[in-house]
Amino acid sequence: MCGIIGLCLHDKNTLRLGEAIYRGLLRLEYRGYDSAGIAVISDNGLIILKGKGKLNELEGKYSFTSLEGITGIGHTRWATHGAPNDVNAHPHTDCNNMFAIVHNGVIENYMELKKILALKGHVFKSETDTEIVAHLIEEYYKETGSVYQAFKKAISSLRGTYAILLITPLEPHKIFYARKDSPLVIGVGNGYNAVASDIPALLEHTRRVIVIRDGWIGYITPSEIHIEELDTGHILESSRYIRVVEWDLKDAEKEGYPFFMIKEIYEQPRALRSTIHGLVNDVIIDEAVKLLADADKVFITGAGTSYHASEYFALTTMKLSGKPVIPFIASEYEVYAGVVGSSDILIAVSQSGETMDTMKAVRAFKAKGCRIISLTNVVDSAIARESDIALYTRAGPEIGVAATKTFLTQTLFLSWISILLAGETGRLNSNEAAKLLEELRNAPRYVEESLSMSGETVKKLAEKLVPVKSMYYLSRDIGLPVAREGALKIKEIAYIHAEAYPAGESKHGPIALVEPSFPVVFTVPSDRKLEKLLLGNIEEMKARGGFVIGVAPQGFNLNERADIVIEVPRTHWILTSLTHTPPLQLLAYYVATMKGLDPDKPRNLAKTVTVE
């Protein structure tokens, strides 16, 4: 979950190396921000600056942007092995400071390798698993006399996950790379080449990219890209894998907003329009729907927000088509993989397409002969490549750690499939399906209205919730995944303990915590039956003195029952995630910022979770 970047320049005049690496790291800081560092090859050899803290703090201390050279690598860290401190910060080097390494992932056999290397006289400075890679390369270089051969032997010795970059003054115009289960992308430039964990770090320099695949190893120079399959030694033609990214640099910038999260909340209508455009024009969706209609069992999985989107799909599909769908949290895949067969389908949902838990689920289900449909936001990502059918939302880059526009584009996309599936199975006739699809086409407008209608009320509510330590988010039916997503948002960025429950379940234990002024947020879908049921649950909370907050459609009179009412557009219930989620996102954002917290970089979290 760390961010890495490397640039290889033709000469010092091509780019200002230190500044380019630093600016790239800023765009990767959502992947980890407890420490950072940069290594460059200059006229004086290998220079390394690193330490604990966020990038802007470290820039003031070390002046990363003043570093000069022709080749360099950088790293921003989310700690997995070793505490976040100056010593454990990347880059790491060997005994002689000849090989500098940055790494994202987990080396599972690092203790075994460390003991072997220690017996050979290697001295380790850090607690990290990464450092052993530099020492392995040092050891194998003594044997081979070739940096690349030493690098390949070292990588072949590793078990676990990794995206690794290596630089050395022995070959100052090269960056060596290797990937297994952790994302890595080459940026194809003019007079230079680059490599990074994610596309936003490259957009300032190029939109031409190569997504490095598992098991690839190689190196870049300012004018060459060498790609090789580690297992076979087969050399690949790099030009065959070049893709042009649809995003531009503006998409990865704040554009005047104080934080990425609020920018991305207000970008949601645009992201939805882009996703709808893709839905209308992607012929492979019909193939996916037919597979789902013919499947014996349909499973859907994701992690975090993507799991909430998965649960939303399960509910919409069962309500519309009557076809059973089994949602499960990706990290719990093993028990579900035990009951899957070759006539079943798994839908894997992942914003990045690199989420390790979801990837493990995909591989376990594939091993049982199950067909895989994936929904990701990154073209040619690992999960997409391992799927039988790869589908894509078109949310654009999402930098804030808390998912916002990806949740709305995921639920829109999945709801669209639910409608088509209900038509395919005959539960909806063509006119009914067309009307629902038209509702989804109006989603961007509904989201704009939801944000406009709720903004001021949410700000006032946020002021009241700043001192709160615990709260509930309650709903029923299709509103429940939305309640879960709202609770997750306020937990992860405002650090308020928030639990989401089915409203009918609250009286079976959770209501014991409700006392005067205890906040309870009700998500009320646009469904008359659910509105009536939820009114009873609201009365239960009011009777215990709870501070009741209702997120409800226009025309549903809650003024006498709720302490605060946040009105959203009244639509068909299938749009509940699209109309009711934005106010809950805003609420978490405003509470966090009123508490002086950074919503883009919540503690202990990172954007793309590539470890189990």
Side-chain angles (χ1 to χ4, degrees):
M1 290 186 283
C2 306
I4 62 179
I5 185 171
L7 281 108
C8 210
L9 312 180
H10 185 267
D11 57 51
K12 290 182 182 178
N13 298 321
T14 308
L15 290 170
R16 294 178 60 186
L17 183 62
E19 182 176 346
I21 294 174
Y22 174 71
R23 288 167 66 88
L25 287 176
L26 285 174
R27 296 191 179 96
L28 293 171
E29 202 173 14
Y30 68 90
R31 300 180 65 87
Y33 34 82
D34 54 42
S35 60
I38 293 177
V40 302
I41 298 172
S42 71
D43 294 339
N44 299 316
L46 194 61
I47 298 173
I48 297 177
L49 299 174
K50 64 177 185 174
K52 177 184 177 182
K54 294 182 179 179
L55 275 163
N56 59 350
E57 300 166 356
L58 294 171
E59 169 61 14
K61 182 177 181 180
Y62 294 120
S63 188
F64 289 141
T65 53
S66 66
L67 287 169
E68 295 184 352
I70 51 173
T71 303
I73 54 178
H75 187 277
T76 181
R77 183 173 187 241
W78 186 84
T80 52
H81 281 80
N85 58 35
D86 291 353
V87 175
N88 289 332
H90 297 217
H92 290 285
T93 60
D94 63 302
C95 295
N96 298 309
N97 293 318
M98 190 59 64
F99 302 103
I101 293 284
V102 291
H103 165 228
N104 174 27
V106 176
I107 306 302
E108 296 170 359
N109 60 333
Y110 85 102
M111 283 302 298
E112 172 190 331
L113 294 169
K114 189 172 186 178
K115 289 175 183 176
I116 294 170
L117 289 164
L119 290 173
K120 294 185 176 184
H122 290 263
V123 178
F124 297 87
K125 300 181 280 290
S126 76
E127 304 168 282
T128 68
D129 55 341
T130 300
E131 189 185 352
I132 64 106
V133 182
H135 290 272
L136 276 174
I137 295 166
E138 178 188 21
E139 188 66 28
Y140 288 132
Y141 183 71
K142 294 175 189 175
E143 296 178 11
T144 65
S146 162
V147 175
Y148 189 41
Q149 292 305 315
F151 182 62
K152 287 201 287 187
K153 288 192 73 171
I155 298 301
S156 297
S157 302
L158 305 179
R159 291 199 312 269
T161 62
Y162 51 79
I164 291 175
L165 302 184
L166 159 71
I167 61 171
T168 173
L170 295 169
E171 298 200 36
H173 288 279
K174 287 182 179 177
I175 297 176
F176 300 86
Y177 67 84
R179 174 212 159 123
K180 181 178 181 293
D181 295 331
S182 292
L184 208 53
V185 183
I186 292 172
V188 183
N190 184 15
Y192 58 89
N193 284 311
V195 60
S197 298
D198 205 353
I199 290 168
L202 304 172
L203 288 176
E204 185 172 356
H205 310 296
T206 182
R207 290 170 60 190
R208 299 170 69 221
V209 303
I210 298 171
V211 179
I212 300 169
R213 302 186 179 183
D214 276 353
W216 284 7
I217 193 167
Y219 55 83
I220 61 171
T221 74
S223 58
E224 181 186 1
I225 297 169
H226 179 85
I227 303 173
E228 187 174 328
E229 293 176 341
L230 180 62
D231 290 345
T232 66
H234 181 60
I235 296 173
L236 305 174
E237 176 54 54
S238 62
S239 61
R240 290 181 52 209
Y241 299 94
I242 295 174
R243 303 286 184 271
V244 178
V245 178
E246 294 178 4
W247 317 334
D248 58 29
L249 184 59
K250 181 183 69 173
D251 293 322
E253 298 287 0
K254 290 181 183 175
E255 296 180 324
Y257 287 95
F259 295 100
F260 279 110
M261 183 179 179
I262 190 66
K263 171 184 179 264
E264 289 161 0
I265 288 171
Y266 280 99
E267 276 182 345
Q268 289 178 129
R270 187 176 72 186
L272 290 167
R273 289 187 183 97
S274 180
T275 296
I276 291 166
H277 178 76
L279 279 163
V280 171
N281 292 286
D282 193 346
V283 294
I284 202 171
I285 291 170
D286 290 336
E287 183 181 342
V289 169
K290 285 182 171 59
L291 278 179
L292 291 168
D294 294 338
D296 282 351
K297 295 191 292 291
V298 175
F299 297 83
I300 184 166
T301 192
T305 289
S306 293
Y307 170 69
H308 298 154
S310 300
E311 190 178 36
Y312 196 84
F313 170 78
L315 291 169
T316 58
T317 299
M318 288 189 287
K319 284 166 71 71
L320 289 177
S321 70
K323 191 174 185 69
V325 178
I326 304 166
F328 66 91
I329 292 171
S331 57
E332 297 295 320
Y333 69 88
E334 287 185 328
V335 67
Y336 296 90
V339 297
V340 72
S342 59
S343 56
D344 300 332
I345 296 288
L346 172 69
I347 304 174
V349 185
S350 168
Q351 180 274 138
S352 65
E354 305 284 349
T355 308
M356 181 53 64
D357 294 328
T358 310
M359 177 73 80
K360 293 278 189 180
V362 166
R363 290 173 177 169
F365 275 60
K366 281 185 74 174
K368 297 293 184 72
C370 180
R371 303 286 294 276
I372 309 296
I373 298 170
S374 63
L375 178 62
T376 75
N377 192 43
V378 180
V379 174
D380 213 25
S381 55
I383 290 172
R385 290 198 306 270
E386 296 204 18
S387 303
D388 296 283
I389 294 179
L391 304 174
Y392 298 101
T393 59
R394 287 164 172 80
E398 187 174 70
I399 309 301
V401 166
T404 51
K405 59 183 179 176
T406 53
F407 178 67
L408 264 64
T409 54
Q410 284 171 351
T411 53
L412 173 85
F413 201 114
L414 292 168
S415 296
W416 192 285
I417 290 177
S418 291
I419 295 166
L420 294 179
L421 181 57
E424 182 73 17
T425 58
R427 289 290 289 264
L428 289 178
N429 63 42
S430 58
N431 288 335
E432 291 169 331
K435 286 179 181 178
L436 284 181
L437 292 175
E438 187 60 31
E439 281 286 282
L440 289 183
R441 285 190 178 92
N442 289 324
R445 174 170 60 83
Y446 289 136
V447 172
E448 287 170 347
E449 290 175 5
S450 180
L451 288 166
S452 175
M453 292 167 64
S454 64
E456 290 305 312
T457 304
V458 169
K459 275 186 187 178
K460 292 174 183 175
L461 172 60
E463 293 174 3
K464 297 179 183 293
L465 296 184
V466 166
V468 163
K469 301 298 182 185
S470 187
M471 57 194 296
Y472 283 149
Y473 283 68
L474 305 182
S475 190
R476 287 176 178 264
D477 200 292
I478 198 67
L480 186 56
V482 178
R484 294 197 208 281
E485 180 63 11
L488 176 62
K489 287 293 156 285
I490 209 158
K491 275 187 282 199
E492 63 185 345
I493 67 166
Y495 311 153
I496 293 175
H497 174 251
E499 293 299 327
Y501 282 96
E505 179 68 11
S506 61
K507 56 185 172 288
H508 297 287
I511 201 169
L513 295 181
V514 177
E515 56 188 2
S517 300
F518 186 95
V520 185
V521 179
F522 281 89
T523 299
V524 184
S526 296
D527 181 289
R528 297 298 185 186
K529 181 181 177 182
L530 294 177
E531 290 171 9
K532 184 177 180 180
L533 286 169
L534 285 164
L535 274 178
N537 301 128
I538 289 169
E539 294 290 0
E540 291 167 355
M541 295 299 158
K542 284 299 292 180
R544 275 79 180 174
F547 179 68
V548 173
I549 302 150
V551 182
Q554 285 177 306
F556 180 52
N557 188 7
L558 269 182
N559 292 326
E560 294 181 3
R561 293 178 170 89
D563 295 280
I564 290 183
V565 180
I566 301 168
E567 284 198 332
V568 297
R570 179 172 286 280
T571 62
H572 190 276
W573 59 259
I574 200 169
L575 278 85
T576 302
S577 68
L578 300 159
T579 52
H580 289 56
T581 303
L584 300 178
Q585 296 169 340
L586 286 175
L587 181 60
Y589 171 82
Y590 285 126
V591 174
T593 54
M594 288 175 186
K595 292 173 77 169
L597 303 171
D598 183 344
D600 290 344
K601 300 168 188 173
R603 67 189 179 203
N604 303 330
L605 297 177
K607 182 75 176 171
T608 305
V609 184
T610 54
V611 295
E612 287 189 276

